[in-house]
Amino acid sequence: LLERQAHSIRLTRFGEALLPEAREFLQQAEQMLERVRSAGRGVRLRVGYAPSLAAGMLSVAVQNFTQAHPKARVELLDLATQEMIAGLEADKLDVAVTVGQQRAARGLAWTPLARVAWQLAVNRNHPLARRERITPAEVAAEPLLVFCRRDYPEYWDLIVGWLREHRLRPQIAGEYDGGDSLIAAVESGLGVAVVTTRMADRVSKRVQLRTLAPAPDPLCIAAGYRVNRASDKPLAVFVEELRKAAPAVT
């Protein structure tokens, strides 16, 4: 496997052929050791989540899970979608609560939790606040505030795609890295924002939520985890608690 020279060592062609499998084996060995250590310390779950999507269901699921597993330690990490995907793939997260992804081919599986509808968030003094239903054309005519494309590409694709389906082009007026900053910008009158109904509990009286007609397709909230962890009992129990705590359709 190795060719030894006077001052160096390099792989032979046989070593080169085995290198990818060797790296994967070492990673699996390290993961096995970490699970053994975790078993000695008690159950540990690292959960990534998006506050605007996981609010409510996550706290209920954690409470029910820790009641069933008193020695469990649940670590909650507020992360962007791409950070959660990377965390799962690198085995630095056990579960991610975010928008459902098509990632099974990359070693990830997703359990749907809820499907949520969309509304338009506007400042209470905005003319659209007096309307019950808002059309895509009316949204496209306003400065549109969105989650940043880098961290939330699925949000960007869904909202911009919805407007393009109606042959409309959005006027992007600002990108934000979280729900609180996005709503604060709406409160300040900087524009309007398309948000899920899960945001209803997070807006102040200075913001009104209005129905979109026709609205974008509902957003699927899901729990993601590594395929090779699907048989882990504590993980499966936690995902089931998330599923029971999630609303059916909001």
Side-chain angles (χ1 to χ4, degrees):
L1 300 180
L2 300 173
E3 182 178 324
R4 301 177 184 275
Q5 297 180 347
H7 301 289
S8 66
I9 300 175
R10 67 179 183 180
L11 293 172
T12 65
R13 61 189 180 92
F14 302 106
E16 292 282 0
L18 288 176
L19 183 59
E21 286 80 1
R23 285 174 172 162
E24 183 177 351
F25 175 79
L26 288 173
Q27 182 180 17
Q28 291 176 350
E30 180 59 33
Q31 291 171 3
M32 290 172 63
L33 286 172
E34 177 57 28
R35 288 173 195 166
V36 171
R37 296 187 193 107
S38 297
R41 296 190 299 262
V43 177
R44 175 196 180 202
L45 283 180
R46 301 158 297 177
V47 183
Y49 70 101
S52 60
L53 301 179
M57 74 173 78
L58 184 58
S59 59
V60 173
V62 170
Q63 181 178 8
N64 291 338
F65 176 77
T66 52
Q67 286 178 351
H69 297 81
K71 295 183 179 180
R73 181 160 56 100
V74 180
E75 300 175 7
L76 302 179
L77 301 154
D78 179 351
L79 301 170
T81 301
Q82 294 305 100
E83 292 175 318
M84 283 187 261
I85 300 300
L88 289 173
E89 292 178 340
D91 204 29
K92 294 181 179 179
L93 286 179
D94 301 301
V95 186
V97 183
T98 183
V99 178
Q101 309 281 318
Q102 300 298 319
R103 300 280 179 145
R106 297 176 62 175
L108 303 183
W110 297 87
T111 297
L113 302 175
R115 290 174 61 82
V116 294
W118 297 93
Q119 291 180 308
L120 187 71
V122 301
N123 182 281
R124 66 180 180 184
N125 296 320
H126 194 287
L128 292 180
R130 296 190 289 272
R131 301 280 303 282
E132 290 298 323
R133 293 178 176 271
I134 312 298
T135 67
E138 290 172 315
V139 174
E142 298 292 331
L144 186 61
L145 310 176
V146 296
F147 290 106
C148 65
R149 188 174 191 175
R150 180 194 63 205
D151 294 332
Y152 301 93
E154 71 291 329
Y155 169 88
W156 183 286
D157 292 343
L158 195 152
I159 300 306
V160 173
W162 167 64
L163 291 173
R164 286 177 177 169
E165 287 176 5
H166 296 278
R167 299 183 179 182
L168 299 168
R169 179 174 295 180
Q171 301 180 45
I172 305 298
E175 297 185 34
Y176 299 86
D177 62 0
D180 291 339
S181 57
L182 180 67
I183 293 300
V186 174
E187 288 181 349
S188 302
L190 299 180
V192 302
V194 179
V195 299
T196 69
T197 51
R198 301 281 298 171
M199 295 286 286
D201 294 337
R202 304 181 66 187
V203 302
S204 71
K205 294 180 180 179
R206 295 190 296 275
V207 173
Q208 299 290 317
L209 297 177
R210 290 293 175 260
T211 300
L212 292 165
D217 292 335
L219 185 70
C220 177
I221 304 173
Y225 44 89
R226 292 175 63 87
V227 171
N228 62 2
R229 296 286 310 282
S231 60
D232 288 7
K233 186 174 180 180
L235 177 61
V237 170
F238 184 74
V239 172
E240 178 61 17
E241 291 295 348
L242 283 169
R243 192 190 64 78
K244 291 191 294 186
V249 179
T250 305

